[in-house]
Structure formats: structure tokens, C-alpha cells
């Protein structure tokens, strides 16, 4: 699969569905390279890589470190780096953070959580040549003020979410993540904008889907949100292999003759 550009990502809307997966390291990025349309270095790494309860303590330094590791493996895939909580409080802060990502990593774009309120920041970035993916709906960086409730159930949600999506699009974002939104509302948001929407827990009618790799491959076992599908039982496979290794070490079956110098 040839590496996509911002232009080809936008063009994909109405042509085909876009597949996005998160990655945090070189090894998995290399496995995903060329297999999906985009790789997101999400600040969800703070949860599933760092074992923290939320994304809020992820720093820009950490995001840059992991983005470089991912880019070394994902040589042929469009890579997006999440700007972490607190790194885009105002326009100049957002620009400074995004410039660091662009100058210190080969990432193709950054992602920013927020709709109407963050649109001026997104505009500042896109005007300065930085590709931005938006993120609306359930926004983990806002969970202390907004909680983790699915959006779209209250009557006022539809109008507000469409306004968010349109503001982000008008600010120049090339795609918009819609997280934790009822399927019917996500469909209407998707129809209201001309850039691709990438859903997570937002039903089947968005222009693409994104999943966190450790959810998708069954490595994260603490809980399974309704929208996650396990494409393999990663945790079970690892435990089985490690158990076998221990048994082989104890019995002397490992290493064999051909596994020694
Ligand atoms: O941090 C992340 O992994 C994300 C996705 C859930 C969209 O923002």
C-alpha cells in the first residue's frame, strides 16, 4: 500500500473506508507499516503503555520520543502525533508544540482534541503548514470536566457536535476523529463535513475507523469497551508462550543443540 498524503486522505472520503490503528513503538509500527492507512501515536500510550489511569500526564517529550520510534518502523505509512494535554492551551502554545513535533520527528500530522473552542488554534497551525487531525465527541483530555459519557444522546448534542466538526473543518483540519458518539449522530456529522471522519465507538457510518492496537489485538484485558473487537487473543497467546518457555528452561528442553554456539 502506497503511503497516503493529506490530499489522498481527503479524497478517500466517499471512495473507500480508511483504517487507522495506534502504535507507540518501533516493533509494532513495523508490523502495521503498509497494512493500514494511518498510524496514530495516541496519548492513549499513557494508559496502555505507561499503565496510568488517564492520558493527562503524557508530556510532549514523551510523545516526541514515541513518535520517533513509530516513524522508524512506519516508513511507508502516514503517521499522526497526538498533542498531549496542556501542550496547546493557546495559539502560540499550540504552534510551539506542533513545531517541535515537526522539527524533532518526521510525523506527517498532529492531532488536537476540541471543536469550536480549539478551531482558532487549528487554523493557526494549518496556516503555518502543519497538517492537523481534529478530535471531537468524547475527548479523553477533557474527562475531568466532561466525564466519559457517550455523546449524541442529549437533544442538544447533535447541533453542538456538527458545529464542532464544521469549525474544525473550516480551520483546515484534513480529518476528524469522532470518539464515543451514537452511530446516528456520527453519521450526520460525517454527512455534514467534506473531510473524512474517523470513528472510535461511533458506529459504522464514519469514513474510517481507529482502534487502539492493544485493544484490537487483545493485549489489554482490564476491560473491553463495547466498540472494541479483538482480532486476536494477544494476552492469552503471550501467557501461553511464556509458560512454555518457563517449562522448557526448567526441563532443559531449551536451549537445544542447534540453539547454542
Ligand atoms: O490517544 C488515542 O489513542 C486516541 C484514539 C483513541 C483516537 O486519541
Amino acid at each position: 500500500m502506497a503511503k497516503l498524503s493529506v490530499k489522498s486522505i481527503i479524497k478517500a472520503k466517499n471512495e473507500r473506508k480508511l483504517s487507522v490503528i495506534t502504535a507507540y513503538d518501533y516493533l509494532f509500527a513495523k508490523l502495521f507499516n503498509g497494512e493500514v492507512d494511518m498510524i496514530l501515536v495516541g496519548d492513549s500510550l499513557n494508559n496502555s503503555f505507561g499503565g496510568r489511569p488517564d492520558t493527562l500526564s503524557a508530556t510532549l517529550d514523551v510523545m516526541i520520543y514515541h513518535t520517533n520510534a513509530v516513524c522508524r518502523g512506519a516508513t511507508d505509512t502516514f503517521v499522526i502525533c497526538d498533542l498531549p494535554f496542556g501542550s496547546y492551551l493557546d495559539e502560540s502554545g499550540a504552534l510551539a508544540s506542533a513545531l517541535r513535533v515537526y522539527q524533532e520527528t518526521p510525523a506527517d500530522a498532529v492531532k488536537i482534541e476540541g471543536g469550536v473552542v480549539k478551531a482558532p488554534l487549528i487554523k493557526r497551525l494549518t496556516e503555518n503548514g502543519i497538517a492537523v487531525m481534529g478530535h471531537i465527541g468524547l475527548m479523553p483530555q477533557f474527562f475531568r470536566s466532561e466525564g466519559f459519557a457517550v455523546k449524541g444522546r442529549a437533544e442538544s448534542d447533535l447541533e453542538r457536535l456538527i458545529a464542532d466538526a464544521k469549525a474544525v473543518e473550516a480551520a483546515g483540519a484534513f480529518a476528524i476523529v469522532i470518539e464515543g458518539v451514537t452511530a446516528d449522530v456520527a453519521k450526520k456529522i460525517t454527512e455534514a463535513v467534506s473531510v473524512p471522519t474517523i470513528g472510535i465507538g461511533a458506529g459504522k457510518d464514519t469514513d474510517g475507523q481507529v482502534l487502539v492496537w492493544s485493544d484490537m489485538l487483545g493485549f489489554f484485558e482490564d476491560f473491553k469497551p463495547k466498540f472494541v473487537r479483538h482480532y486476536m487473543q494477544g494476552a492469552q497467546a503471550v501467557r501461553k508462550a511464556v509458560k512454555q518457555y518457563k517449562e522448557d528452561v526448567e526441563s532443559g528442553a531449551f536451549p537445544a543443540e542447534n540453539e547454542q554456539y
Side-chain angles (χ1 to χ4, degrees):
M1 189 192 278
K3 177 170 173 169
L4 296 184
S5 62
V6 162
K7 262 192 187 163
S8 55
I9 291 166
I10 295 172
K11 194 168 168 281
K13 188 173 174 104
N14 304 322
E15 285 180 0
R16 65 185 184 87
K17 296 273 188 178
L18 292 160
S19 54
V20 186
I21 191 167
T22 68
Y24 314 130
D25 69 314
Y26 167 78
L27 194 63
F28 274 91
K30 206 166 170 212
L31 290 172
F32 304 151
N33 186 34
E35 305 291 344
V36 287
D37 292 304
M38 291 177 256
I39 294 179
L40 168 67
V41 187
D43 58 358
S44 55
L45 66 80
N46 217 44
N47 307 110
S48 68
F49 191 89
R52 299 221 171 75
D54 55 57
T55 61
L56 303 191
S57 56
T59 63
L60 192 56
D61 284 342
V62 164
M63 296 310 299
I64 286 174
Y65 173 86
H66 286 275
T67 299
N68 274 316
V70 167
C71 288
R72 279 180 217 118
T75 48
D76 305 313
T77 307
F78 191 96
V79 173
I80 306 134
C81 168
D82 243 348
L83 288 190
F85 180 69
S87 70
Y88 53 99
L89 298 177
D90 56 24
E91 287 181 37
S92 55
L95 193 55
S97 298
L99 285 178
R100 274 199 65 195
V101 172
Y102 261 36
Q103 290 178 332
E104 296 176 34
T105 82
D108 300 287
V110 298
K111 178 165 78 61
I112 283 185
E113 291 184 16
V116 170
V117 170
K118 296 292 182 195
L121 313 184
I122 296 174
K123 188 161 184 280
R124 185 79 184 272
L125 267 50
T126 57
E127 280 172 352
N128 282 285
I130 293 158
V132 179
M133 174 179 257
H135 183 151
I136 64 166
L138 193 164
M139 297 177 289
Q141 292 180 12
F142 289 71
F143 91 95
R144 285 194 196 163
S145 54
E146 294 189 6
F148 274 122
V150 169
K151 314 275 180 196
R153 291 184 172 139
E155 223 168 88
S156 56
D157 284 356
L158 174 64
E159 206 181 319
R160 193 176 44 78
L161 287 166
I162 288 192
D164 281 339
K166 284 191 164 171
V168 167
E169 177 188 21
F174 68 92
I176 306 169
V177 167
I178 304 179
E179 178 166 358
V181 170
T182 56
D184 56 333
V185 169
K187 182 173 191 279
K188 287 184 179 130
I189 299 169
T190 298
E191 287 164 356
V193 292
S194 55
V195 292
T197 59
I198 309 294
I200 175 161
K204 64 176 182 51
D205 291 313
T206 52
D207 298 308
Q209 297 289 331
V210 56
L211 280 178
V212 169
W213 78 267
S214 44
D215 288 338
M216 194 199 107
L217 299 181
F219 282 93
F220 182 74
E221 291 183 308
D222 295 3
F223 60 91
K224 181 180 167 298
K226 185 177 178 185
F227 62 83
V228 167
R229 184 181 295 179
H230 286 163
Y231 281 85
M232 67 176 277
Q233 305 302 324
Q236 278 175 32
V238 168
R239 253 189 242 103
K240 191 170 169 221
V242 173
K243 192 168 183 285
Q244 184 66 57
Y245 166 68
K246 183 174 188 289
E247 277 172 26
D248 288 354
V249 170
E250 286 171 358
S251 71
F254 176 80
E257 286 291 321
N258 65 350
E259 289 164 330
Q260 60 191 10
Y261 295 109

